[in-house]
Amino acid sequence: MRKVLALLLALTTALTMGVMAFAAEDTTGILSAPGVAVDVDVADAAEASPRITAPLVNTDNDITLEVKVGDLVLIDVTDGTPGKIVYPESRLIPGEDYTFEIHQVISISGNDVVTEGVTTGNIGTGNRLRLTGKKGTSAVSSAKIETKRKQYILEMTTKSNYGTKKTDTEYQIQSTGILHVPGYTSTERSVGTASFKIGYSTISDEVIDQYGEGDILTIDLNAPVITKKQLDRVAKENNYRPVILEGEEGDWTFEGRISGMSDTNFIYDFDVVPAIVERFENQDFKFLNFKGGVNLPSNGTMTIDVSDISGDFKKMVLYAYRDGRLEKLSPTYDAGNDELTFRANQLGTFVITDAEITDTTIIAPETSSGATSTPGSSSGTGIGKNPNTGSTSTGIALAFAVASLGSAAVLGRKKK
């Protein structure tokens, strides 16, 4: 069953990437959706034209929505729940799909703004909405205006990027004619500006301030970037001894020195690597991917929780995936805690499987340039260039320093 799920995930990933690539080729210049002249009754218009009331000031960061009556704004409905208004410089995560309803401001009362959805029924005959990229569109794979149940929406897909910087991105949405939104009579064309910061957030200084000697620093997937200043502060607080970092759910830990490191993105996931599961379809796998690549000043101790697979795998073999190749590692196995432990000075993609792989030649599919493609890299290194940049590596090799801790890599099934 695990193998079937892995293959389905791999197929889904491949199909999704194919769609994204096609969309990216089609999104240059001005993107627009034609207005459709249709007859809708009041009930249909109300159903397809949601109204919301939102505060002009976002209390989370004191950002004010600078709008006037008649302007266009976005409502985030990505997760399918009742949407929230999009404030300037809202953060978007790389490699994600977003859906925004397009609304018009119909009134402003005190500290609140009231908006109504722009639909095919009120856009007007011959009218259309035009989307123009103003800046930072290189961080976006696809951005286009569509209709869904008569409601005009902006669909956006951000590019995968595991660096430490955010990209300032801005789009303008403009109607080519007068809108006829219920509750407000337009007298001129409507315009709206949507600005975003695309990238991962930095861990808060409050978390760093609370760190004390011997504490464990947990990587928050909502804010996985730690700056050089923050890393140095933690190292100093720990008297420059090895610091313990751990995953959000405690599913991995790393103990090692961090002083002198530059800004680092510790983003990670457990997604399958399609090229591997497709190549070795008769084997079971577990993956741990540090998508940005983590470069450490010296060897440290990496520990991976394998309690979810130890009862199913007859044996476990650990590999590092780099440059399109699988490099066998030599971990120890702690049966009491269900953990694999090994030494490394860089964190990229780790692969645990239930049988040894003898053919570890390049297994990643080739890109159009002939380079192999692996998680965390645009050039097939298996690890990205993390420090300071907003892009992934173009050629940093992953050099694991692996030392045997005294046990075989092929392990027996643990009794439950």
Side-chain angles (χ1 to χ4, degrees):
M1 184 65 180
R2 190 183 300 275
K3 287 179 285 188
V4 172
L5 289 174
L7 289 173
L8 286 175
L9 285 169
L11 179 59
T12 301
T13 301
L15 290 173
T16 301
M17 291 183 69
V19 172
M20 287 173 58
F22 178 80
E25 294 175 356
D26 242 359
T27 57
T28 55
I30 294 175
L31 309 177
S32 61
V36 180
V38 295
D39 293 324
V40 294
D41 58 30
V42 175
D44 285 340
E47 178 182 357
S49 179
R51 179 175 292 188
I52 72 159
T53 300
L56 281 171
V57 179
N58 184 349
T59 55
D60 291 337
N61 50 19
D62 294 327
I63 291 181
T64 301
L65 191 67
E66 300 288 350
V67 294
K68 64 181 185 299
V69 174
D71 284 353
L72 297 177
V73 294
L74 296 181
I75 307 298
D76 189 353
V77 294
T78 300
D79 59 5
T81 60
K84 295 182 179 180
I85 198 163
V86 176
Y87 290 90
E89 300 185 349
S90 292
R91 184 176 70 89
L92 301 184
I93 299 173
E96 297 288 338
D97 298 320
Y98 292 90
T99 302
F100 307 100
E101 290 181 351
I102 300 174
H103 282 224
Q104 184 180 42
V105 177
I106 60 173
S107 68
I108 298 176
S109 176
N111 293 321
D112 291 331
V113 56
V114 180
T115 73
E116 186 91 19
V118 178
T119 72
T120 56
N122 57 40
I123 192 171
T125 303
N127 194 3
R128 62 177 181 171
L129 298 179
R130 176 174 295 168
L131 179 67
T132 306
K134 292 297 185 179
K135 67 177 180 179
T137 57
S138 61
V140 177
S141 292
S142 173
K144 54 187 176 181
I145 294 176
E146 301 279 6
T147 57
K148 184 177 182 181
R149 293 190 294 272
K150 302 176 184 179
Q151 166 71 49
Y152 275 91
I153 61 173
L154 169 61
E155 291 186 337
M156 181 181 294
T157 299
T158 54
K159 288 183 180 178
S160 295
N161 176 1
Y162 307 110
T164 60
K165 299 297 183 183
K166 297 185 183 74
T167 300
D168 290 321
T169 301
E170 184 177 298
Y171 283 91
Q172 183 185 74
I173 303 173
Q174 184 174 22
S175 65
T176 61
I178 305 300
L179 298 180
H180 303 283
V181 175
Y184 172 71
T185 302
S186 298
T187 58
E188 57 185 15
R189 297 175 184 178
S190 298
V191 180
T193 299
S195 61
F196 308 96
K197 284 187 175 293
I198 302 177
Y200 291 96
S201 291
T202 300
I203 191 171
S204 71
D205 285 332
E206 290 181 358
V207 172
I208 301 301
D209 290 342
Q210 293 171 5
Y211 179 86
E213 182 179 357
D215 287 348
I216 295 175
L217 185 60
T218 301
I219 302 303
D220 181 357
L221 289 175
N222 289 318
V225 175
I226 307 180
T227 66
K228 172 180 173 54
K229 183 179 179 180
Q230 291 173 329
L231 289 166
D232 286 343
R233 185 168 181 175
V234 170
K236 182 178 180 181
E237 188 68 27
N238 207 48
N239 292 315
Y240 298 100
R241 291 195 295 269
V243 172
I244 299 177
L245 308 174
E246 71 170 4
E248 195 172 61
E249 300 297 329
D251 29 37
W252 62 266
T253 61
F254 179 84
E255 184 174 4
R257 301 183 187 280
I258 60 172
S259 58
M261 292 178 65
S262 55
D263 294 358
T264 302
N265 188 346
F266 287 88
I267 188 68
Y268 68 93
D269 62 34
F270 299 92
D271 294 348
V272 301
V273 178
I276 295 178
V277 296
E278 290 171 3
R279 176 73 176 273
F280 306 104
E281 58 183 15
N282 294 321
Q283 294 183 215
D284 288 327
F285 292 93
K286 174 176 180 172
F287 298 87
L288 172 57
N289 313 295
F290 289 86
K291 293 298 189 71
V294 178
N295 302 308
L296 300 153
S298 60
N299 280 341
T301 301
M302 182 71 189
T303 301
I304 302 176
D305 182 354
V306 292
S307 58
D308 57 332
I309 61 173
S310 61
D312 299 324
F313 282 34
K314 293 182 178 179
K315 54 185 177 182
M316 286 181 282
V317 189
L318 177 66
Y319 292 89
Y321 182 45
R322 67 179 185 91
D323 295 325
R325 297 178 183 271
L326 291 169
E327 179 181 332
K328 188 177 178 181
L329 309 182
S330 298
T332 57
Y333 176 56
D334 181 343
N337 294 314
D338 262 339
E339 295 174 340
L340 289 182
T341 301
F342 55 99
R343 300 279 287 175
N345 67 355
Q346 289 186 322
L347 308 181
T349 293
F350 299 110
V351 182
I352 304 171
T353 185
D354 60 350
E356 188 166 347
I357 296 173
T358 56
D359 183 5
T360 58
T361 55
I362 293 178
I363 57 178
E366 287 197 341
T367 65
S368 58
S369 62
T372 58
S373 178
T374 61
S377 171
S378 59
S379 64
T381 62
I383 188 169
K385 185 178 181 181
N386 213 318
N388 295 324
T389 66
S391 61
T392 50
S393 171
T394 55
I396 301 295
L398 171 61
F400 278 91
V402 182
S404 172
L405 297 182
S407 73
V410 181
L411 308 170
R413 180 195 295 267
K414 180 189 174 186
K415 295 181 181 180
K416 294 293 185 182

